[in-house]
Amino acid sequence: MIYLDHAAATPVSKKVFEASGPYFLEEFFNPSSPYLPAKKVSKEYEEAKNVIARAIGAKGSDLVITAGATEANNLAMAGVSGGVLYLTTEHDSVRRVAEQYGGEAIKVLPSGLIDMEDLRGKITDETELISVSLVNNEIGVIQPIAEIGALVREVRMDRLRRGVKRQILLHSDASQALNLLDVNVARLGVDLLTLNAAKVYGPKGVGALYVSHEVRLNPLTVGGGQENGLRSGTENVPGVIGFAKAVSLAKEHLNGNRKKYAEFKKVFLDELQGYELPVKKHMLDNFVVLCYNGIDAERLVFLLEEKGVYVATGAACAASKGVRSHVLAAIGLTDSEIAGSLRISFGETNTKEQIIEAARIINEVVRAERERVAHE
Ligand code: PLP
């Protein structure tokens, strides 16, 4: 099997699995319990949060642990009374919620980058929250969050001068970023940042929302008051211990990963034939979007699977519902180009040999498909 869909899911790394294990079996205590072994678990849980937070230049007390990035994105918007701006290419867990708040979409340029002019023009005194992901999950485009952060600071100063009381916050979903980017909340200028363990070789269903100490959110769940009252429910100790290990490993491998995936991308594209690249720049090197106009990419996914190569047509959740990619449409692809596009995402399960082999198999399958279509 050659798995080329790491943007959808990464396997839990062995070291993460080993770090979590004892917290399922022996150290199973509820961190809120009064006896010593539970207090020890509580301390280790807090330390794991510190490790995750430090990786993004924050403190453990700034993090709200959630059951994945979807919940973190929902929580980021809980409490706003309206005035949400979101990038049109956001994941549904931002888009759908923003729509519920009557949010307005910000355009992207054909490169997939945010249209800063459109953003500037849409910010009003009513704007409370701007949500732009650091890395897009379908095309791997890296957004200029620090530039948006600087703009938000300007708006804040201007409101202060004019006596406009409404707050303006910047949220970024960094679910796909930690394997290749050095993420730092101060450098980015974000008030809220979403993290996702499942995309960094950690467990699924574990995520976090960084919340700057100046921000007040409304909890989505109420109960025992865990996570500073923002996310009640008994702590997922094994998940968070694993998440911390995964984040540490991602940090450790950052430079190696950058080199490795840049090389993978080069050999992959050198070997491939007859494709177009709708997205070429400002993207993570572990992402490739291939467009085979006139061919049905859904069929390619199925034919490639028969040959042991696993790829995607877009976000896994959209693909399973047969929904046309809103991301590829936003960057200006025609319906036929969207229908012919594949998303490839490299990861730790891959070797250079596999990448070359996969490219050869894709060439072969596409060639056969083109012939079949020509004779229809
Ligand atoms: N945001 C982005 C950018 C993602 O890629 C994903 C997962 O695909 C999510 C949010 C949702 O994450 P989860 O399904 O773990 O809640």
Side-chain angles (χ1 to χ4, degrees), residues 59-336:
K59 296 198 293 283
S61 53
D62 300 332
L63 289 190
V64 180
I65 298 297
T66 58
T70 298
E71 190 190 322
N73 284 340
N74 275 251
L75 181 62
M77 277 179 255
V80 294
S81 50
V84 175
L85 296 177
Y86 65 101
L87 198 62
T88 189
T89 50
E90 289 305 293
H91 187 270
D92 276 352
S93 56
V94 167
R95 226 159 51 108
R96 284 273 154 88
V97 188
E99 279 164 11
Q100 283 175 3
Y101 286 103
E104 203 178 344
I106 312 158
K107 289 187 198 139
V108 288
L109 302 167
S111 60
L113 287 175
I114 184 168
D115 181 339
M116 287 298 286
E117 282 316 301
D118 192 49
L119 171 63
R120 276 197 190 88
K122 282 179 176 153
I123 296 176
T124 67
D125 281 348
E126 305 304 310
T127 308
E128 275 189 39
L129 186 123
I130 300 172
S131 185
V132 178
S133 57
L134 181 51
V135 174
N136 181 273
N137 59 304
E138 285 191 44
I139 55 178
V141 166
I142 308 160
Q143 298 296 342
I145 303 297
E147 197 184 326
I148 304 168
L151 174 64
V152 167
R153 272 196 303 278
E154 263 174 48
V155 173
R156 216 171 265 155
M157 294 303 287
D158 179 56
R159 284 188 185 178
L160 206 65
R161 265 196 302 273
R162 294 187 295 114
V164 176
K165 291 245 163 45
R166 198 181 298 280
Q167 64 169 8
I168 179 162
L169 302 175
L170 176 59
H171 167 244
S172 185
D173 177 355
S175 286
Q176 296 283 350
L178 290 188
N179 292 317
L180 281 110
L181 295 182
D182 185 11
V183 177
N184 180 289
V185 288
R187 275 205 308 272
L188 292 174
V190 292
D191 306 288
L192 300 153
L193 185 95
T194 294
L195 298 175
N196 191 342
K199 311 291 182 185
V200 285
Y201 307 88
K204 291 178 186 59
V206 185
L209 183 68
Y210 157 79
V211 185
S212 154
H213 47 272
E214 284 137 37
V215 177
R216 296 283 161 268
L217 294 178
N218 283 342
L220 294 172
T221 49
V222 286
Q226 291 89 344
E227 305 296 317
N228 292 328
L230 281 172
R231 208 282 181 178
S232 286
T234 303
E235 293 86 344
N236 178 356
V237 180
V240 173
I241 299 281
F243 190 5
K245 187 72 187 171
V247 168
S248 304
L249 291 169
K251 271 258 164 201
E252 204 181 296
H253 296 146
L254 206 61
N255 289 329
N257 276 349
R258 286 195 190 132
K259 274 196 210 112
K260 181 167 82 175
Y261 298 127
E263 194 196 359
F264 278 10
K265 193 167 192 167
K266 187 177 179 312
V267 297
F268 190 59
L269 295 180
D270 282 352
E271 194 66 39
L272 280 172
Q273 296 157 354
Y275 61 90
E276 276 167 69
L277 287 182
V279 193
K280 296 190 186 71
K281 288 197 289 195
H282 313 292
M283 63 195 296
L284 286 189
D285 277 330
N286 62 330
F287 276 81
V288 182
V289 181
L290 298 174
C291 177
Y292 296 101
N293 198 0
I295 296 228
D296 179 2
E298 299 281 351
R299 265 186 66 84
L300 289 183
V301 170
F302 163 72
L303 293 166
L304 286 167
E305 182 183 345
E306 283 189 338
K307 297 195 182 286
V309 178
Y310 291 74
V311 299
T313 51
C317 31
S320 68
K321 290 186 225 100
V323 177
R324 185 181 85 128
S325 161
H326 70 286
V327 177
L328 297 180
I331 62 169
L333 266 61
T334 62
D335 280 352
S336 145

